[in-house]
């Protein structure tokens, strides 16, 4: 759907019971590099790929965004392509990775061990390996070059990872509408993002781009979006909940995202399931997905282009979904949520595969939680607390390790827990449960119901109607102890709690904490003062 009918769109999607506009947005966003020395004749091939991507979005006359790396800004062939063939439907922004032409322009060396001009490794390809002073020079030169070409500054800047100092510098000095970073992933492509706001968007802390702010004094004005359209079932721990038939696809099923270079994003059935999940299930008011592809996937170009075409055609059939430029999406988000990060949800009530799985992500400014059902067990698969006082590891110092790490405070993290036996447990609520249903009670509040039992998510707590809970101690990487009615955690020097209210009995042994009640248990994730 296009936004020439925006007034009618909002009228049709206005919830009169709660006074909340339901916004469903897709960003077609392609990332453009000028060189990739892993491939022969890469510049010519990258240019040809980008040309086909541009012509594809032109064919459908949809709002879209192309994000340009610094080296493409320096290449007249790419600039002539966009000058000659781009329409007013295309927004141009910055794809922010550090390349040799950029460091040379700033008088810095480019230390690629491979001798490349673009290198996917954290060192030298990402901003956090440089000093804060160097980071300002690098982003200022990128913005200067963009302005020299286009006569205006971009509204959108994105990259797989971005350090907080660079983000704050952008927010302070440029009129940016949106920033985007990669989905959660562990030990992939030399960076780890774990326990972040699952998909949509949030207002980050001035101390950490990966952490939503809880307080206005530490909140930035620019929303951060998550890229690639992650699967709410399989993105967290990949193939664990897939059928053997699907696992046999091997490398093709490596990433569970909407990227058309992978099976999930290129297969019509799985892509439709993803869109049904994102746009057809409860989102608490804002559904968002990014589709498109970086132009470096030269070995599967035809699959990417056909997958993009298939996804666009599927989305055009959904009259309630808006195709938007990334910068416009940032402005819409800021106008819709003027004060603070909203609660949102991503709900999968079934699985595209033959396995019987359900997954609910609830995100708000205080925490992110994933309630999961598998083999009649309903449990929290992950639960992370946000604390806007904790600084990005690289806010003041350069990253000196191979893997740049961004994470929030783990309460439950079954993917990285110590025991393989516990990876389907976490915090157990019901081990003999059938399918659950999901409903929005009122603004920002989500209820998951299974029989007479339920979990209701609020911004500051989770209310659980059940007769018992079983929390496995090895389902977190933090050190833990039970102090009266609260679980005390410590992780990398940071202390925090999970307060348990309404319990008739709380007992522990070396393996788990057992909680019993005749009524309702309230769990409150809480920062230490």
């Amino acid at each position: 759907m296009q936004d020439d009918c925006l007034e009618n769109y909002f009228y049709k999607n206005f919830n009169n019971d709660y006074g909340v506009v339901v916004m469903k947005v897709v960003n077609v966003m392609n990332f453009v590099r000028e060189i990739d020395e892993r491939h022969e004749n890469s510049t010519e091939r990258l240019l040809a790929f980008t040309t086909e991507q541009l012509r594809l979005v032109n064919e459908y006359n949809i709002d879209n965004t192309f994000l340009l790396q610094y080296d493409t800004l320096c290449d007249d062939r790419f600039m002539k392509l966009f000058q000659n063939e781009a329409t007013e439907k295309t927004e141009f922004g910055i794809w922010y990775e550090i390349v040799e032409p950029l460091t040379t322009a700033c008088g810095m060396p480019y230390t690629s061990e491979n001798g490349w001009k673009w290198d996917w490794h954290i060192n030298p390809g990402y901003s956090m390996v440089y000093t804060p002073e160097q980071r300002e020079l690098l982003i200022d030169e990128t913005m200067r070059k963009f302005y020299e070409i286009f006569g205006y500054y971009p509204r959108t800047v994105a990259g797989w990872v971005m350090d907080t100092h660079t983000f704050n510098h952008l927010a302070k000095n440029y009129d940016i509408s949106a920033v985007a970073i990669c989905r959660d992933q562990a030990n992939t492509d030399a960076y780890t993002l774990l326990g972040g706001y699952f998909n949509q968007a949030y207002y980050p802390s001035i101390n950490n781009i990966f952490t939503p702010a809880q307080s206005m004094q530490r909140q930035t004005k620019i929303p951060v979006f998550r890229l690639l359209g992650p699967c709410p079932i399989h993105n967290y721990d990949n193939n664990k909940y897939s059928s053997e038939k699907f696992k046999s696809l091997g490398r093709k099923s490596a990433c569970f995202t909407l990227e058309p270079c992978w099976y999930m994003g290129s297969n019509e059935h799985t892509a439709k399931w993803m869109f049904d999940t994102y746009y057809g299930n409860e989102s608490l008011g804002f559904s968002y997905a990014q589709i498109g592809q970086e132009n470096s996937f030269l070995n599967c170009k035809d699959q990417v282009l056909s997958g993009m075409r298939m996804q666009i055609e599927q989305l055009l059939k959904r009259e309630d979904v808006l195709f938007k430029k990334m910068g416009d999406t940032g402005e819409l988000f800021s106008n819709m949520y003027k004060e603070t990060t909203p609660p949102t949800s991503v709900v999968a009530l079934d699985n595209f595969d033959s396995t019987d799985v359900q997954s609910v992500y609830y995100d708000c400014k205080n925490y992110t939680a994933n309630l999961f059902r598998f083999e009649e067990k309903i449990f929290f698969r992950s639960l992370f607390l946000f604390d806007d006082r904790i600084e990005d590891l690289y806010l003041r110092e350069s990253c000196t390790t191979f893997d740049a790490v961004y994470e929030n405070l783990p309460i439950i993290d079954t993917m990285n827990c110590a025991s393989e036996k516990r990876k389907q447990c976490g915090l157990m609520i019901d081990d003999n449960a059938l399918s659950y249903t999901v409903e929005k009670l009122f603004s920002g509040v989500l209820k998951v119901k299974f029989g007479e039992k339920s979990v209701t998510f609020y911004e500051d707590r989770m209310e659980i109607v059940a007769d018992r809970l079983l929390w496995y101690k090895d389902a977190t990487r933090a050190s833990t102890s039970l102090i009266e009615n609260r679980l005390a955690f410590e992780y990398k020097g940071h202390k925090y709690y999970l307060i348990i209210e309404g319990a008739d009995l709380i007992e522990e042994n070396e393996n788990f904490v057992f909680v019993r009640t005749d009524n309702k248990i309230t769990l409150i994730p809480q920062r230490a003062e």
Side-chain angles (χ1 to χ4, degrees), residues 342-387:
T344 59
S345 60
V346 179
V347 175
L349 293 175
D350 58 6
N351 188 13
F352 68 83
D353 204 354
S354 58
T355 51
D356 186 17
V357 182
Q358 292 179 298
S359 178
V360 172
Y361 273 94
Y362 179 87
D363 294 281
C364 63
K365 66 180 182 181
N366 295 309
Y367 67 91
T368 177
N370 180 214
L371 186 68
F372 207 72
R373 185 182 69 81
F374 178 65
E375 294 182 342
E376 299 184 351
K377 298 182 181 73
I378 292 180
F379 58 98
F380 281 96
R381 185 170 61 160
S382 68
L383 174 60
F384 287 80
L385 177 68
F386 300 141
D387 188 341

Side-chain angles (χ1 to χ4, degrees), residues 178-430:
V179 165
I181 60 173
C182 190
R183 64 181 176 121
D184 270 25
Q185 58 182 39
N187 301 316
T188 305
D189 294 338
Y191 43 90
T192 289
L193 303 168
L194 189 60
Y197 202 100
F198 178 71
N199 184 57
Q200 287 96 320
Y202 60 93
Y203 294 114
S205 162
I206 59 174
N207 292 316
N208 197 326
I209 187 176
F210 197 57
T211 302
Q214 292 84 58
S215 54
M216 293 299 292
Q217 64 267 30
R218 284 189 284 268
Q219 180 172 292
T220 58
K221 63 179 181 178
I222 308 301
V224 171
F225 292 77
R226 304 303 300 273
L227 295 169
L228 301 181
C231 171
I233 290 177
H234 302 284
N235 183 75
Y236 180 68
D237 42 18
N238 291 335
N239 263 318
K240 187 165 66 177
Y241 301 101
S242 299
S243 67
E244 292 303 317
K245 179 180 178 180
F246 191 80
K247 291 177 183 178
S248 69
L249 292 170
R251 175 69 176 164
K252 293 180 180 179
S253 63
C255 290
F256 290 86
T257 69
L258 283 167
E259 296 170 274
C261 65
W262 305 113
Y263 178 86
M264 189 164 201
S266 63
N267 178 272
E268 186 172 2
H269 168 71
T270 53
K272 182 180 184 302
W273 177 86
M274 280 287 288
F275 296 141
D276 289 342
T277 296
Y278 270 84
Y279 300 117
N281 294 335
E282 183 57 63
S283 67
L284 296 177
F286 178 49
S287 304
Y288 166 79
Q290 177 260 318
I291 65 173
Q293 192 76 65
E294 56 195 303
N295 65 344
S296 289
F297 280 87
L298 294 172
N299 293 334
C300 57
K301 181 186 74 170
D302 291 341
Q303 176 177 314
V304 169
L305 292 169
S306 63
M308 285 182 61
R309 180 180 296 277
M310 175 269 295
Q311 290 184 15
I312 290 169
E313 290 181 351
Q314 284 199 20
L315 288 165
L316 284 170
K317 296 175 183 178
R318 295 176 177 267
E319 295 184 356
D320 57 347
V321 176
L322 284 168
F323 284 83
K324 298 295 292 180
K325 300 169 183 175
M326 184 76 249
D328 290 341
T329 303
E331 290 183 9
L332 271 175
F333 184 88
S334 297
N335 289 330
M336 190 169 176
Y337 305 105
K338 294 181 182 297
E339 295 185 358
T340 188
T341 296
T344 59
S345 60
V346 179
V347 175
L349 293 175
D350 58 6
N351 188 13
F352 68 83
D353 204 354
S354 58
T355 51
D356 186 17
V357 182
Q358 292 179 298
S359 178
V360 172
Y361 273 94
Y362 179 87
D363 294 281
C364 63
K365 66 180 182 181
N366 295 309
Y367 67 91
T368 177
N370 180 214
L371 186 68
F372 207 72
R373 185 182 69 81
F374 178 65
E375 294 182 342
E376 299 184 351
K377 298 182 181 73
I378 292 180
F379 58 98
F380 281 96
R381 185 170 61 160
S382 68
L383 174 60
F384 287 80
L385 177 68
F386 300 141
D387 188 341
D388 62 10
R389 302 168 300 181
I390 298 175
E391 291 187 353
D392 176 353
L393 292 173
Y394 321 112
L395 181 63
R396 306 175 194 279
E397 303 293 335
S398 301
C399 175
T400 59
T401 58
F402 173 82
D403 183 21
V405 176
Y406 285 83
E407 58 184 341
N408 289 297
L409 298 174
I411 295 175
I412 301 166
D413 181 15
T414 57
M415 181 177 66
N416 295 292
C417 69
S419 171
E420 287 292 328
K421 294 181 181 179
R422 307 302 185 209
K423 287 193 174 185
Q424 292 175 5
C425 297
L427 193 156
M428 183 75 69
I429 299 173
D430 196 339

